[in-house]
Amino acid sequence: MKSNLITKITLCGLLLNGFYASAQKNNLQVDAAKTVTKIQPTMYGVFFEDINFAADGGLYAEMIKNRSFEFLFPMMGWNEPNSDRHKLNQQSGIANVVQYSKQGTNHNYCRVTLNDASGYQLVNEGFRGMGIKKDLKYNLTLKASKISGNISKIMFQFIDKEGKALGETSVVPTSNDWTDYAAQLTSTATEAKAKLKITFEGNGVIDLDNISLFPEDTWAGRKNGLRKDLVQLLYDLKPGFLRFPGGCIVEGRTLAERYQWKKSIGKVEDRETAVNRWNMEFAHRPAPDYFQSFGLGFFEYFQLSEDIGASPLPILSCGMACQFNTGQLVPMDQIDPYVQDALDLIEFANGDQTTAWGKVRADMGHPKPFNLKFIGVGNEQWGPDYIERFKVFQKAIKSKYPNITIVSGTGPFPDGDFFDYGMAALKKLNAEIVDEHYYKDPAWFRKNVTRYDNYDRKGPKIFAGEYAAQSVAIASPDNKNNWECAFSEAAFMTGMERNAEVVHLTSYAPLLAHVEGWQWTPDMIWFNNLQSYGTPNYYVQKLFSNNKGTDLIAITKDGKAVTGQNDLFASAVKDVNSKEVILKIVNTAATAQNVSIDVKGAKLDTKGTAIILKGDGINDENSFDTPTKISPKESEFKLNGNKIQYDFPAYSVTVLKIKMK
């Protein structure tokens, strides 16, 4: 008995010694009195690109694929189960696409010949199916023109894979002229893989176009709007900016395929469908049915920015196609239309209703300006050709709109010839904000946490515009959104936050991915037709963005920044609005670490809130089955005066918040 007691006392002593040794090893000091620099409101934002079916089939809530028969193969997405193209189809009918014009934006419509309507069906498959929810309403619209015969009704049904009806409605076509029709379906069941079946009463010939279907329950209740759950995830990030319409999609594989913002505004039905540059980019993930309807266009991007409280950051073509593809250049003596597009966009966003483009915005339903402050010239172009073109944009924009901040770029890599050349050239041009991209392995993010420590404080500010830890390799289909990637990004983010004097904007990329329609991994938010979830990387971004504070303050160990000593990484801010000191501590060690933190220069409350993000192992992931497996958990901790003694779990990201008296 005595022997057991001695053993227990000895063990307790060893544990206590270990505890205090750990605390002594990890003594941190915080100076809450002195502001190092202000944290920009744009510090943490979101980068949107139409990759992985992020727009059509994702954020843009349209459920019909190829609604106006404008895909390269005009019947793609549509199926006629009882028809045969090589027969007369006397017991059913047949649909043919009529190309009525090569001019304008809408070139085709669908002509349905009904020989026996009782045997004919026209079915749309949706985007890998249609997600419908029991008792919810769905708004259907279409254009139709009766050509001949006695067609008296068009019926619409949700069907499941067995063909069972899950809700139905109908319209009565009344005119030989093109006429708009609308109806509403109510789903009788929840189904992730529904389709829309169209049938008819009466025989004859009828023309159809712009067949569209949206959930009634969209973000902000906006008719034909955005998918509610996905926007909610963005809203919850409290992003400082929204970059759009993307990265490589801005450039296009060729100049002809570049994103042209003027084609993405105005009436939705008048916007010209275009191929998505990601449809055949990767041999391992072909998506030949990936097109852009531009229903989610520049007006909607500006509107979304406003909705989620983010500053809009549009990126425009600089006259260079993607250098990973053709690298086509517009000649310098033909670049004026590209520059004019940038000037017109600023007028569209900020001009009053007496201006040409301001009036277009107002006529679309937004009389007030969008308060655009930033514009990006080119995505991740590099080399002398980019600098030559950037100079022209810079001169033109600054001459007319001196208060607009221009974002430039150094190319797709964080170092090397292109990067060094671009940064040196842009510094000479007094560039305001330079966009840097890095897709690297998790260890790179931990090793490069001091990247910005020695950047010139008087040089260009930095936009970390695209970054994500790659668990396998860049563009590998096997990359995972695992916990090691996420906490390694968090470590790197403490370094960006510590250098907020230089780093003004940051965003993870890509943002969204359809689980059956993706081309690139990893991605911040995954979704299917009914559900969505944030990855561990999402929750890291949310922790930092929701707790960005207003003022950077110093947190040090032995007078030095906490940049990986004993596998600890840290940054600290205070929020003058909420009167809080906020500490971000990342423990990348395989064991818990006790840390002693001494906060000077502020009177603190006797207790604080800890928000902890951790996984059971470095390969942990969230999923549709366990969407919040790795997500923030809150608890309370006590202070001893101005001292905090805290155990940081293994592989964890922790935010400590303490009210100032």
Side-chain angles (χ1 to χ4, degrees), residues 20 164 178 281 372 497 617:
Y20 288 119
K164 179 185 175 185
W178 281 108
E281 185 75 11
L372 177 67
E497 190 165 278

Side-chain angles (χ1 to χ4, degrees), residues 438-457:
Y438 18 85
Y439 295 107
K440 294 285 188 177
D441 61 87
W444 183 94
F445 282 88
R446 301 193 296 270
K447 289 173 187 170
N448 284 272
V449 72
T450 58
R451 176 181 178 88
Y452 296 111
D453 288 8
N454 298 315
Y455 266 50
D456 182 0
R457 267 44 188 165

Side-chain angles (χ1 to χ4, degrees), residues 606-641:
T606 57
K607 58 187 178 182
T609 301
I611 310 171
I612 303 160
L613 196 58
K614 70 182 183 71
D616 295 329
I618 63 173
N619 292 313
D620 271 11
E621 299 176 66
N622 291 347
S623 66
F624 290 109
D625 291 331
T626 56
T628 56
K629 182 177 183 180
I630 298 175
S631 59
K633 307 290 189 294
E634 285 196 16
S635 60
E636 191 177 276
F637 66 93
K638 292 182 180 178
L639 286 81
N640 183 10

Side-chain angles (χ1 to χ4, degrees), residues 270-550:
D270 292 336
R271 301 179 192 178
E272 187 174 14
T273 299
V275 67
N276 188 297
R277 60 87 24 89
W278 294 109
N279 70 340
M280 300 298 282
E281 185 75 11
F282 300 117
H284 60 266
R285 292 294 299 180
D289 59 338
Y290 199 179
F291 286 74
Q292 295 173 277
S293 71
F294 296 107
L296 177 56
F298 261 53
F299 179 84
E300 289 78 19
Y301 285 126
F302 277 114
Q303 195 173 51
L304 174 60
S305 301
E306 195 172 72
D307 284 351
I308 63 177
S311 188
L313 174 49
I315 310 291
L316 297 184
S317 168
C318 64
M320 299 176 73
C322 182
Q323 287 162 281
F324 288 112
N325 295 133
T326 65
Q328 270 185 338
L329 300 173
V330 68
M332 290 304 295
D333 61 0
Q334 296 175 34
I335 202 169
D336 285 355
Y338 291 76
V339 177
Q340 193 60 49
D341 271 353
L343 298 175
D344 290 345
L345 178 63
I346 297 168
E347 184 175 285
F348 175 76
N350 292 351
D352 62 39
Q353 296 178 56
T354 63
T355 64
W357 289 102
K359 184 179 186 305
V360 172
R361 182 200 67 242
D363 289 347
M364 289 184 71
H366 201 284
K368 291 183 180 178
F370 281 119
N371 192 26
L372 177 67
K373 297 175 183 175
F374 304 92
I375 193 165
V377 175
N379 170 45
E380 53 182 16
Q381 271 71 42
W382 62 79
D385 290 321
Y386 173 62
I387 297 301
E388 185 181 20
R389 283 156 180 75
F390 176 76
K391 286 179 186 176
V392 179
F393 278 84
Q394 185 185 44
K395 182 180 178 182
I397 293 169
K398 284 297 178 184
S399 294
K400 190 167 184 181
Y401 298 106
N403 295 326
I404 292 289
T405 299
I406 304 173
V407 176
S408 53
T410 53
F413 310 116
D415 47 35
D417 286 355
F418 293 141
F419 178 85
D420 293 340
Y421 170 83
M423 186 61 83
L426 290 167
K427 277 185 177 179
K428 286 179 185 174
L429 292 171
N430 295 314
E432 296 168 286
I433 296 181
V434 175
D435 183 11
E436 296 185 359
H437 296 178
Y438 18 85
Y439 295 107
K440 294 285 188 177
D441 61 87
W444 183 94
F445 282 88
R446 301 193 296 270
K447 289 173 187 170
N448 284 272
V449 72
T450 58
R451 176 181 178 88
Y452 296 111
D453 288 8
N454 298 315
Y455 266 50
D456 182 0
R457 267 44 188 165
K458 294 180 180 176
K461 303 308 177 188
I462 299 302
F463 173 22
E466 294 185 37
Y467 66 88
Q470 312 286 292
S471 65
V472 179
I474 296 175
S476 168
D478 300 317
N479 281 323
K480 303 296 183 187
N481 284 101
N482 67 31
W483 181 226
E484 183 185 12
C485 287
F487 71 67
S488 299
E489 291 155 6
F492 187 78
M493 291 168 74
T494 64
M496 292 197 290
E497 190 165 278
R498 279 190 305 98
N499 288 282
E501 192 175 0
V502 170
V503 182
H504 280 196
L505 307 93
T506 68
S507 53
Y508 183 101
L511 179 64
L512 296 169
H514 192 300
V515 71
E516 292 179 58
W518 58 269
Q519 291 78 52
W520 177 287
T521 59
D523 305 288
M524 194 160 79
I525 295 167
W526 286 85
F527 63 92
N528 58 28
N529 291 339
L530 288 174
Q531 305 158 284
S532 56
Y533 70 87
T535 59
N537 317 73
Y538 169 87
Y539 287 109
V540 163
Q541 295 293 323
K542 185 177 178 182
L543 264 189
F544 275 72
S545 185
N546 283 202
N547 297 286
K548 65 177 175 284
T550 57

